[in-house]
Amino acid sequence: MNTRGITLRELLQLPILGTATVVSGGQGLDRIVRFVDIMEVPDLKGWISEGVMLLTTAYSIRHDPSLLTELVYTLDKLGAAALAIKPARFLKEIPQAAIEASNACGLPIVEIPPEIPYTNITQPVMELLLGRQAMLLRRAEEVYRTLTTMVLENSGIQAVSDNVADFLKAPVALVDTQRSIIVSSPSNFDWSQKTSPLNWNINVDKRTVARLLVDKEKLDDMEEVGIEQARLVFALELMRRKVAEDTEFRLRGNFIDELLTPPLPSRHEVERRARQLGMNPEHKWEVAVIEGETAPSEETVNRLLDREARKRGVTPHVEYRSSRAVLFLPTPEGRKFTGAAGGEEPWAATLESWLHDKSEGLSAYRTGIGTPEDLWNIHTSYNEARKALSVSKRLGQGAGAVTQYEEMEVYHLLEGLSGQGFEVLFERKLGKLLRYDQEHDSNMLLTFYHYLEHRGSLIDTASSLYIHRNSVKYRLERIRDITGFDLNDPREQFVCHLCLIYYYLQEK
């Protein structure tokens, strides 16, 4: 059965229209008829509906038959199905120009014998149309009932997708806003080869969360009804999943709080609850803290973390606290993620790429990363990440810096030192340089520190200070003159570097 609606060709099979003649536009006989109306005025704009078959005696244009040509083009533009006309009384015959227009645009002109009353046409046509519409509604109800039952019975989104694909007799997929496949039927269908499948938005909470793809050129009326029901059911399924994910996320957050706050739960308790919440206790976990003047974009961090998690096949977690994002990053013990370039890429390298990609909007933030720990010792990694951030800020590392605690561990130890020994050493080595800065409002100490941090690279030193390379050379010459050091002596470099680190840690 044709479920797209009633075609003009089908209507002409009605007994009452058995003597009607298709004068022109025969290529349009498969146009869909949805309504029947009678023309009383020549101005059609504003009241003609798509799919209408217009009946007329041409009375309103009897004084100017040439208007019939314009009428044909207007009906075609408005999406009408056909023009059925009784020309005998007022036109005598259909103008040749109107016939040519009908053939040109494919809008059929049907000549109806004058003895057939309009009511004898409209009644059987509308009965047929209404019967088809009733059938569409019944079928739509069946589709909706089937799909909603699958959701209520928790059959799974794959089962819903399979049912929709079977109904449409075409491959179907649901993709997220990043065009990653959520579900596909058949599951092995290669959607990358499809450049322009039919697609519809799936909305949850007034926000587009996915798109429904169908590998088909066009849909008939019945299939369009099914698609609308499928969109609703997919939205219900995605909402159900979102509620479950939000609940699990909240429970993970509570669990994380317990892991970071004494008294800490036992190892056995951590392992049990972690498995329930999808946090693998057999992985090593490291904590990264992303911090800035304002809170980082949750949408950006979530998107980047989800993308990376899919690559690595792990389940990380993120918490947002004040102006910080705290990331809990798992790595299967005994291996590291292999990046696209073929080398081992730790989480630190991934985070650095996020902060250096200005298009992501995270370049104004800095990150501290703790050492990998067992899940029940994750508070250690969290504290280390915060210490790494604290030390990096005291040493003047700017936005975009990614600091691992392993790199700053000895600096953290220096931070707690005080006493006359270091102060005497600093005064003896760098006291003159400090007083020169104070008297001349210069930055010789800072330049010396960055020079040593960058292992004597003039280019890197200039870049970190945002000055020209020649300015660095000049300052180094002044440092030699003031201190009398051989700046290439490894021992002098070591002692001065240690003194400078101590000075900046204590000063700030």
Side-chain angles (χ1 to χ4, degrees):
M1 179 184 289
N2 178 17
T3 60
R4 296 177 300 164
I6 307 298
T7 65
L8 181 61
R9 191 188 304 277
E10 289 177 290
L11 286 184
L12 292 176
Q13 302 303 313
L14 290 172
I16 191 63
L17 295 175
T19 55
T21 304
V22 178
V23 176
S24 56
Q27 69 269 37
L29 286 176
D30 290 320
R31 291 193 179 208
I32 304 300
V33 179
R34 292 184 170 87
F35 312 96
V36 178
D37 207 342
I38 299 172
M39 188 185 85
E40 297 178 348
V41 295
D43 184 11
L44 304 179
K45 294 181 180 179
W47 61 272
I48 284 293
S49 300
E50 182 179 356
V52 69
M53 181 174 76
L54 194 64
L55 306 179
T56 184
T57 60
Y59 176 80
S60 62
I61 58 173
R62 65 190 184 282
H63 298 303
D64 188 1
S66 64
L67 291 176
L68 189 62
T69 303
E70 181 181 347
L71 176 63
V72 170
Y73 284 121
T74 299
L75 287 172
D76 178 62
K77 184 177 180 181
L78 296 174
L83 176 63
I85 189 169
K86 294 181 180 182
R89 183 173 181 184
F90 297 108
L91 287 184
K92 305 305 180 184
E93 62 180 13
I94 299 174
Q96 183 61 33
I99 293 175
E100 293 173 358
S102 169
N103 287 325
C105 64
L107 179 85
I109 295 179
V110 180
E111 184 174 343
I112 300 174
E115 66 273 10
I116 302 178
Y118 281 152
T119 54
N120 288 6
I121 298 174
T122 56
Q123 182 176 351
V125 169
M126 291 307 298
E127 287 177 353
L128 188 59
L129 290 173
L130 291 173
R132 187 62 56 88
Q133 290 297 320
M135 182 271 294
L136 284 173
L137 291 174
R138 287 194 299 272
R139 180 58 176 145
E141 185 179 357
E142 293 174 7
V143 172
Y144 177 72
R145 188 184 305 113
T146 299
L147 295 177
T148 50
T149 298
M150 297 180 77
V151 173
L152 295 174
E153 293 178 350
N154 200 21
S155 300
I157 199 169
Q158 182 66 59
V160 174
S161 177
D162 291 342
N163 189 280
V164 173
D166 182 63
F167 167 71
L168 296 176
K169 300 294 186 279
V172 166
L174 201 62
V175 299
D176 62 20
T177 53
Q178 304 300 314
R179 293 195 65 81
S180 297
I181 300 290
I182 298 174
V183 65
S184 177
S185 300
S187 57
N188 59 350
F189 189 78
D190 187 5
W191 287 96
S192 64
Q193 303 300 317
K194 302 299 176 180
T195 57
S196 55
L198 298 177
N199 64 93
W200 296 264
N201 287 343
I202 306 296
N203 298 324
V204 174
D205 292 337
K206 299 181 180 179
R207 184 170 61 91
T208 299
V209 297
R211 293 186 71 80
L212 174 61
L213 308 182
V214 176
D215 183 33
K216 208 167 188 178
E217 290 186 4
K218 61 180 181 179
L219 303 182
D220 61 32
D221 284 354
M222 178 66 75
E223 291 167 338
E224 287 179 358
V225 170
I227 281 292
E228 290 307 309
Q229 304 297 350
R231 289 176 63 192
L232 175 59
V233 171
F234 275 126
L236 290 173
E237 182 67 22
L238 291 177
M239 181 179 290
R240 185 186 65 80
R241 292 179 63 178
K242 183 177 183 298
V243 170
E245 289 172 358
D246 289 348
T247 301
E248 184 175 276
F249 184 86
R250 186 173 64 256
L251 292 174
R252 282 183 189 169
N254 295 338
F255 179 50
I256 289 291
D257 285 341
E258 293 183 38
L259 294 178
L260 300 182
T261 308
L264 303 176
S266 67
R267 173 176 172 175
H268 175 74
E269 178 70 9
V270 171
E271 290 179 331
R272 182 185 67 82
R273 292 180 60 188
R275 289 192 176 92
Q276 291 176 344
L277 296 173
M279 301 177 71
N280 194 330
E282 296 179 3
H283 292 173
K284 287 292 185 179
W285 291 76
E286 52 195 305
V287 179
V289 178
I290 301 177
E291 182 181 74
E293 296 298 325
T294 60
S297 167
E298 294 188 18
E299 181 179 354
T300 298
V301 174
N302 289 342
R303 174 172 52 80
L304 293 172
L305 191 59
D306 288 345
R307 184 179 67 189
E308 191 65 25
R310 285 194 292 268
K311 289 181 182 178
R312 297 171 182 256
V314 295
T315 305
H317 183 75
V318 59
E319 291 282 322
Y320 296 93
R321 304 179 178 191
S322 185
S323 60
R324 296 174 173 176
V326 184
L327 282 61
F328 302 86
L329 309 171
T331 299
E333 190 170 12
R335 76 168 176 87
K336 292 183 179 179
F337 172 67
T338 301
E344 292 185 340
E345 183 177 78
W347 277 105
T350 299
L351 294 172
E352 188 171 14
S353 69
W354 295 358
L355 269 60
H356 288 178
D357 187 350
K358 293 184 178 179
S359 65
E360 296 295 356
L362 296 176
S363 57
Y365 295 84
R366 58 168 61 89
T367 298
I369 306 178
T371 56
E373 297 284 350
D374 292 315
L375 189 57
W376 48 89
N377 288 327
I378 202 171
H379 63 282
T380 301
S381 186
Y382 173 63
N383 291 331
E384 289 174 348
R386 295 177 63 189
K387 291 173 183 176
L389 265 181
S390 173
V391 172
S392 69
K393 284 192 292 185
R394 290 170 183 261
L395 293 179
Q397 294 190 2
V402 176
T403 307
Q404 294 179 263
Y405 179 75
E406 293 173 337
E407 301 171 351
M408 293 289 171
E409 188 170 9
V410 68
Y411 296 175
H412 176 64
L413 295 176
L414 287 174
E415 187 180 19
L417 295 178
S418 62
Q420 190 174 3
F422 253 111
E423 292 175 3
V424 170
L425 179 62
F426 178 85
E427 172 61 28
R428 180 160 51 86
K429 288 291 183 180
L430 298 170
K432 292 180 181 179
L433 202 57
L434 174 61
R435 286 187 288 276
Y436 181 88
D437 275 349
Q438 292 170 343
E439 292 171 4
H440 296 84
D441 193 23
S442 59
N443 288 306
M444 297 301 174
L445 272 181
L446 187 62
T447 301
F448 196 16
Y449 168 72
H450 281 278
Y451 175 74
L452 295 174
E453 277 285 302
H454 294 292
R455 301 178 182 178
S457 169
L458 295 179
I459 295 176
D460 291 343
T461 303
S463 176
S464 64
L465 292 170
Y466 302 101
I467 60 177
H468 194 272
R469 175 184 172 185
N470 289 339
S471 298
V472 176
K473 292 177 67 176
Y474 168 77
R475 292 183 185 182
L476 291 175
E477 291 173 2
R478 293 295 298 137
I479 292 170
R480 277 194 199 93
D481 294 341
I482 296 167
T483 62
F485 293 152
D486 177 1
L487 299 185
N488 295 320
D489 185 330
R491 184 178 179 283
E492 289 284 18
Q493 288 182 347
F494 170 74
V495 174
C496 289
H497 197 187
L498 205 59
C499 288
L500 285 166
I501 292 170
Y502 171 79
Y503 169 75
Y504 282 117
L505 288 175
Q506 298 300 323
E507 183 198 43
K508 299 182 180 182

